[in-house]
Amino acid sequence: MSNAHGAYKIRPAGRHLLTIGRDLIQNNYAAIVELVKNAYDADSKDVEIYFSLKEKSKDIQKASQSTETSIVITIKDHGHGMSRDTVINKWLVPSTKDKLERKLSPNGRVMQGRKGIGRYAASMLGSTLLLETVSTEAEKTTVLVDWQNFEKAEYLDDVEILVESNTTDEKPGTILTIEGGVEYHEEWDKKQFNTLQFELKKLIPPTTNTINKVEQDFEIYLKVSGFPTIDDIEETITPYPIFDLYDYKISGVIDPDGKGSLSYAVQKAKNTVQENIDMNLKQPTGCGSLKFDIRVYDRESESITELIKRGLKNEAGDYVGKLQARQILNVSNGIGVYRNGFRIRPLGDPEFDWLKLNEERVQNPSLRIGSNQVIGYVLIESEEQSNLIENSARDGLRENNAYRQLQEITKKVIAELEIRRFSFRRKVGLRKHVRKIEQNLEKILSLDRLKSTISSKLVSNGVSVKSTAEIINLINEEEVEKNKAVEEIRQTIATYQGQATLGKIMTVVFHEGRKPLNYFRNEIPRIDRFISEFQKTKNFAEIDKIIDISKKTEINAKILSDLFRRLEPLAVNKRPAKTSICLEKIISDCFAIFRQQMEDNQIYYQINGNAIINAWVQDIFSIFTNLIENSIFWLSNTKTDNRHIIVNLVSEEGTLSYIDFKDTGPGIESSLIENKDIFEPEFSTKPQGTGIGLSIAGEAAKRNGLKLTALEYNHGAYFRLMTKGIDDE
C-alpha cells in the first residue's frame, strides 16, 4: 500500500442534529422547557403553548380512504423575532455561541439558551417543525424542517432547507408549529400533561419577592384541547398556592466571601417575632452569591388542618380537604435551584433529593426535616461567577467542587431552621415529649403524694389515726421494694448508656487498633521464615531479627491492651458499686482513648487540678468521652490553628466543687444554652448526629449527684459539671 498524506475536514453525519435534540435533551418536558426559554430570550412578555389533535386522510392502496391522527404543538411568543440573516447564520447553525457571547438580550434579560441546542429539542416532539418569525424590521421568515431528511442524509450538509422571506405588517414574534404522527401522539396522556403542568409551575420560582423586575415580567400560558380521553386544560401557569402558607421559613443571602444574613419566621403561632441570623462560613462559598427562600411544613394531622385554615384552596376557590392538602405537598415539595429566574431540572423534583435530606432524617427524625416537608429555592449566579455549570443534557449541574459547596451551604442554612423548629415544637408541645429517664424513675420512686392523699381521705372518713398509720406503713414497705426494683432498672439503663457511648466511639477503636493488628498479621508470620533460615545457616543475624519482632510485638500488644483497658469501664455487663475516683486520672484515660484522632487533627488538651469523687466509674467515663468526642468533631471542622481542650478541676480540701470543660471550637449558640435543647434526646447540630451524647452525659451526671450545664462563652464551648447545690456562675 502506498503512503498517502492530506488534510481533511470533519463532516457531521446527517443525524447529528437528531443526536443533539433527542439524545441530549432528557425528555419531552425538558424539550418544552427549552423552547419556553427561547421565548424568554427573545424578550417576549409571554409564551403560549398549545396542544391539539388533527386528523388527515391518507390513501390505502388507492382504493379506500382512511384517516390518521397527528399531534400539533404550537409555541408562540411576542418577542423581537428573527431576521432572515439571523435564521440562516444563527438559528440554522448548531451549537452557536451567539447567546453565550451576548449574555444579555436587547431588553437586558440574562440569556437562558446559551449552549445553542435548545431549538433542536423540537425533534423529540414531532417529525416536522415549521418556524414562522417576524423581525422588528417587518420581515417574515418561514422555515420548514423535516427531521426525517436528517435521518436519511449521509452528511449534515447534504440536507437542504428552504428559507422564504417577505415583508409583512404582522407584529414581531415567533411561532413554532411541531407536528407528529401517532408515535408522538401516544407520548401524551393525562399523566404526561399533569407532569407538564408541574414542570411549568416549577420552572419559575414560587414567589417573585426576590426576583428582579426583568425576570418577573414573563407569563406562560398552556392550552390542551381535542384529546378524547383528557379534559381540556386552559390556564396561565402560576406557582402552587401553598408557598405562602408555610409553618417555618428561612430566607436571605450569603455573599461570595461566605458572609451573609438570614431571617427566620414562624406562622404556626400568632405574635411571633422574625429572627435575624448572621452567617459567617469563615471561607468563600466557592459557588458565588446564593439567595435562599426555604419553607417547611409540619405534616401531623393537626398541622395539616391549620395549613388549610391559613388559606389553602383549590383552583375553584374552595378550601381543600386534608387528603388533597397532603397531595399538594407531595407534588410541590422540593428545593429547586434557579438561575436567572428559571429552574435547573431536576433539582427540586419531589423524587430528586439532591440534598439527601431523607437520609439524615432517618438518623434523627425529631430534629431533621424530610424532603416532603420543604418547598423552596436557591438562586445562583451565572456559570462564570459561580462555576456551577449546567449539564448539556439539561439534567442538573455538573458535580464539581462548586456543586458540592452548594449542597453543604444549603444544608447549613436548613440546619439553622431545623434547630429553631425543634425548640419551637418542644415549647408548644408539638413534638413527642421525651421525658428524661431519671425524671421518669424519680416519678416512679416517689409515693409521697399518694400517701398524703390516702391519709387525708382515711382521716376525713373517720378512720383512726393508728389505723391510718398502719396503712401508710404498708405503703412504705411496698415503696421500699419498688425502690429496689427501680434501682436495678437505673443500673441496667446506665449499663446500656455506657455501651451506647462505646458504640459512638467504635471508629476510635478501629482506628487505634488497626495499627497493632496489622503489625501482628504482617510480622509474626516472618518468624517461621527466620527460624528456618537459622536452622539452615546457623547465622545468628536471623535470631536478632526474631528478637526485634518480639520486642515490637510486645510494644504493639501493650498498645492494644491499653486501648481495651481504657474502654473497659464502658463495656461492663454489670455495674460494680460506687467507688472513690481520682478525677484527673479518669479524665486522662478518656483523652487517651482519642489520642490518635487528636494527634491527627493537632488538638491539644490540658487538665488542671485534681479532686476525689465517690461515683460510678462508668458514668464519669460516659460524661467525658461524650464531651471530648463532641469537641474533637467541632475542632476538626474549624479552620483554626488554636485547637485546645482545657479541663479545670476545682476542689476544696480535695473534694470536688465543679469541673470546667472548655474548647476553642465554634461554640454553642446562646439560644440553645438558654433553652437547654442541647441536652434533649435526639437534638444535635452535627450533620449526621443522633442526639444521644449530651443526653447520656446529663443522665450519667444526675445519677451521681452531679449536674451538667452549658455556659455562655465567646471563645468556644463551655460545660460545667458541678455538685448539686452549687449555682451556675
Side-chain angles (χ1 to χ4, degrees):
M1 185 177 74
S2 61
N3 293 329
H5 303 281
Y8 300 90
K9 294 181 180 180
I10 295 175
R11 296 183 68 188
R15 69 181 313 276
H16 178 64
L17 284 190
L18 303 182
T19 300
I20 293 175
R22 296 173 184 173
D23 295 350
L24 289 185
I25 303 300
Q26 194 176 23
N27 50 40
N28 285 351
Y29 320 117
I32 295 290
V33 165
E34 287 300 313
L35 299 176
V36 168
K37 288 181 178 180
N38 283 348
Y40 177 85
D41 289 345
D43 283 328
S44 181
K45 291 187 176 182
D46 59 8
V47 62
E48 300 170 10
I49 307 167
Y50 300 94
F51 282 78
S52 62
L53 291 181
K54 83 172 184 180
E55 293 182 349
K56 61 180 181 180
S57 61
K58 63 177 182 178
D59 292 332
I60 299 180
Q61 297 178 350
K62 298 181 181 181
S64 62
Q65 291 288 323
S66 179
T67 60
E68 70 174 14
T69 303
S70 63
I71 189 170
V72 179
I73 304 171
T74 303
I75 298 175
K76 179 180 181 181
D77 71 51
H78 302 89
H80 48 60
M82 291 180 285
S83 66
R84 177 184 176 86
D85 180 71
T86 299
V87 170
I88 294 172
N89 296 308
K90 294 177 182 176
W91 193 84
L92 287 176
V93 178
S95 305
T96 177
K97 58 182 180 178
D98 170 54
K99 292 182 179 181
L100 181 63
E101 291 177 340
R102 283 195 291 144
K103 293 185 173 60
L104 298 178
S105 72
N107 287 352
R109 287 180 175 172
V110 178
M111 291 291 191
Q112 299 295 314
R114 302 173 68 183
K115 299 187 184 298
I117 62 171
R119 52 196 172 275
Y120 302 111
S123 65
M124 290 190 66
L125 302 171
S127 57
T128 63
L129 166 65
L130 175 64
L131 165 73
E132 299 172 276
T133 183
V134 178
S135 70
T136 53
E137 290 79 24
E139 179 185 42
K140 182 174 182 178
T141 302
T142 303
V143 179
L144 178 62
V145 179
D146 188 335
W147 299 114
Q148 293 181 5
N149 292 336
F150 293 93
E151 192 78 66
K152 297 173 183 176
E154 186 174 0
Y155 295 106
L156 190 58
D157 56 9
D158 291 339
V159 180
E160 293 185 352
I161 297 176
L162 180 63
V163 179
E164 298 179 347
S165 299
N166 57 274
T167 57
T168 182
D169 57 0
E170 296 178 35
K171 293 182 179 180
T174 298
I175 302 175
L176 298 176
T177 303
I178 303 162
E179 189 170 341
V182 65
E183 68 273 23
Y184 296 97
H185 170 206
E186 289 177 343
E187 290 290 318
W188 296 96
D189 56 21
K190 183 177 181 179
K191 182 179 179 181
Q192 304 302 324
F193 281 119
N194 287 340
T195 304
L196 176 62
Q197 286 176 285
F198 164 80
E199 290 288 347
L200 294 175
K201 283 179 180 291
K202 296 199 76 170
L203 179 59
I204 54 178
T207 180
T208 57
N209 293 339
T210 57
I211 310 299
N212 63 47
K213 184 67 172 66
V214 171
E215 292 159 351
Q216 288 180 32
D217 192 17
F218 185 69
E219 286 189 344
I220 302 172
Y221 173 80
L222 174 67
K223 183 176 181 179
V224 178
S225 61
F227 289 76
T229 60
I230 302 170
D231 294 336
D232 288 356
I233 299 170
E234 187 169 357
E235 68 169 325
T236 298
I237 300 296
T238 56
Y240 288 102
I242 199 170
F243 195 67
D244 291 327
L245 308 178
Y246 62 87
D247 290 323
Y248 318 89
K249 169 187 171 184
I250 194 162
S251 59
V253 177
I254 297 179
D255 294 324
D257 62 1
K259 296 178 181 179
S261 61
L262 305 171
S263 64
Y264 169 77
V266 181
Q267 283 195 152
K268 290 182 75 72
K270 295 180 180 179
N271 302 321
T272 55
V273 178
Q274 181 171 293
E275 179 186 353
N276 295 321
I277 306 166
D278 291 329
M279 291 289 288
N280 187 354
L281 305 177
K282 298 183 179 178
Q283 62 180 13
T285 63
C287 53
S289 176
L290 303 172
K291 187 177 291 186
F292 298 91
D293 193 328
I294 295 170
R295 309 189 182 197
V296 170
Y297 305 77
D298 289 333
R299 298 199 60 155
E300 302 95 343
S301 179
E302 300 83 356
S303 297
I304 295 295
T305 299
E306 291 301 316
L307 173 64
I308 296 168
K309 287 180 181 179
R310 248 175 258 146
L312 186 57
K313 300 178 181 180
N314 58 25
E315 293 177 355
D318 301 321
Y319 284 97
V320 302
K322 285 187 178 180
L323 178 59
Q324 191 176 359
R326 291 184 187 277
Q327 289 172 340
I328 292 173
L329 273 175
N330 290 342
V331 299
S332 57
N333 70 70
I335 297 177
V337 176
Y338 292 78
R339 173 179 276 143
N340 304 318
F342 287 93
R343 182 169 74 99
I344 298 173
R345 304 172 67 252
L347 305 179
D349 284 357
E351 68 278 4
F352 189 75
D353 185 14
W354 65 283
L355 294 169
K356 304 294 187 289
L357 297 179
N358 292 332
E359 288 182 15
E360 295 189 3
R361 179 168 168 76
V362 168
Q363 300 293 327
N364 195 340
S366 292
L367 175 63
R368 304 300 179 194
I369 60 169
S371 64
N372 69 339
Q373 294 177 264
V374 60
I375 304 173
Y377 60 82
V378 187
L379 302 184
I380 63 175
E381 295 185 294
S382 67
E383 292 185 355
E384 293 83 1
Q385 293 170 299
S386 67
N387 201 33
L388 292 166
I389 300 169
E390 192 172 354
N391 293 328
S392 295
R394 296 295 196 259
D395 58 351
L397 293 169
R398 187 180 300 171
E399 294 188 8
N400 56 13
N401 188 59
Y403 177 74
R404 288 186 286 273
Q405 285 293 100
L406 173 66
Q407 288 178 305
E408 289 304 312
I409 295 168
T410 304
K411 287 197 281 190
K412 286 181 180 179
V413 170
I414 292 172
E416 295 290 337
L417 180 145
E418 288 173 328
I419 290 169
R420 289 159 177 80
R421 171 179 175 267
F422 181 94
S423 296
F424 176 83
R425 285 171 60 82
R426 181 170 65 89
K427 288 174 183 175
V428 300
L430 287 173
R431 68 179 286 263
K432 185 178 179 181
H433 184 64
V434 183
R435 183 182 289 274
K436 294 184 179 179
I437 294 170
E438 291 295 328
Q439 291 174 329
N440 276 325
L441 291 177
E442 287 177 1
K443 188 177 178 181
I444 295 171
L445 282 170
S446 178
L447 298 179
D448 290 343
R449 185 178 177 183
L450 175 64
K451 288 185 284 187
S452 176
T453 302
I454 291 174
S455 180
S456 61
K457 288 283 187 183
L458 292 174
V459 172
S460 64
N461 283 283
V463 178
S464 67
V465 174
K466 181 180 178 182
S467 297
T468 299
E470 290 174 353
I471 293 171
I472 297 302
N473 282 335
L474 289 174
I475 296 175
N476 286 336
E477 291 174 6
E478 182 67 19
E479 185 177 17
V480 169
E481 290 301 314
K482 288 190 179 299
N483 283 353
K484 291 179 182 178
V486 167
E487 187 58 32
E488 289 182 8
I489 293 171
R490 177 184 274 120
Q491 296 308 317
T492 301
I493 290 169
T495 299
Y496 290 155
Q497 288 185 338
Q499 291 172 350
T501 300
L502 179 61
K504 284 184 66 194
I505 60 174
M506 281 307 294
T507 52
V508 177
V509 179
F510 294 140
H511 188 79
E512 293 213 19
R514 187 178 291 116
K515 185 177 178 181
L517 288 175
N518 283 340
Y519 182 85
F520 298 151
R521 184 179 63 187
N522 295 326
E523 295 299 316
I524 290 178
R526 297 175 65 201
I527 293 176
D528 288 338
R529 189 165 73 247
F530 295 145
I531 290 173
S532 178
E533 286 294 320
F534 176 73
Q535 289 173 340
K536 292 177 183 177
T537 64
K538 303 302 180 183
N539 184 350
F540 279 90
E542 305 298 332
I543 298 296
D544 291 337
K545 293 176 184 178
I546 295 171
I547 293 172
D548 181 62
I549 292 175
S550 298
K551 288 179 179 178
K552 290 179 179 176
T553 299
E554 183 181 2
I555 293 170
N556 281 279
K558 187 176 185 304
I559 291 172
L560 208 56
S561 176
D562 287 346
L563 173 63
F564 288 130
R565 178 187 60 78
R566 298 195 303 269
L567 295 170
E568 188 177 359
L570 295 172
V572 295
N573 291 322
K574 188 173 181 181
R575 286 161 61 87
K578 285 184 178 181
T579 185
S580 183
I581 297 170
C582 173
L583 283 169
E584 191 276 337
K585 181 182 183 304
I586 290 293
I587 297 171
S588 293
D589 285 346
C590 290
F591 275 110
I593 293 172
F594 302 94
R595 178 176 53 207
Q596 192 61 51
Q597 267 187 292
M598 295 181 72
E599 286 180 7
D600 292 344
N601 292 284
Q602 295 182 310
I603 299 171
Y604 307 94
Y605 76 91
Q606 182 178 338
I607 303 173
N608 301 316
N610 198 2
I612 303 297
I613 185 175
N614 193 49
W616 281 290
V617 175
Q618 296 91 333
D619 286 337
I620 303 302
F621 257 84
S622 286
I623 294 168
F624 284 97
T625 51
N626 277 294
L627 291 178
I628 294 167
E629 192 261 346
N630 273 345
S631 288
I632 290 173
F633 175 85
W634 292 113
L635 287 168
S636 301
N637 287 277
T638 301
K639 291 187 177 297
T640 178
D641 295 328
N642 179 28
R643 297 177 179 175
H644 287 85
I645 302 173
I646 299 173
V647 182
N648 292 321
L649 300 165
V650 180
S651 60
E652 292 182 9
E653 298 179 357
T655 302
L656 176 69
S657 292
Y658 60 86
I659 303 172
D660 280 347
F661 183 100
K662 301 178 182 178
D663 68 34
T664 56
I668 306 169
E669 198 168 314
S670 299
S671 61
L672 301 182
I673 294 174
E674 183 179 346
N675 59 32
K676 297 181 174 59
D677 278 341
I678 56 173
F679 294 104
E680 282 287 309
E682 299 181 342
F683 180 87
S684 174
T685 55
K686 293 179 184 177
Q688 303 293 333
T690 57
I692 64 170
L694 288 178
S695 177
I696 286 176
E699 297 280 359
K702 196 167 186 179
R703 276 194 296 271
N704 291 273
L706 302 169
K707 182 179 180 182
L708 181 64
T709 61
L711 303 178
E712 291 275 0
Y713 187 49
N714 293 328
H715 308 291
Y718 184 179
F719 291 93
R720 173 165 289 180
L721 182 67
M722 55 191 171
T723 56
K724 290 183 180 178
I726 296 180
D727 296 330
D728 294 9
E729 293 184 3

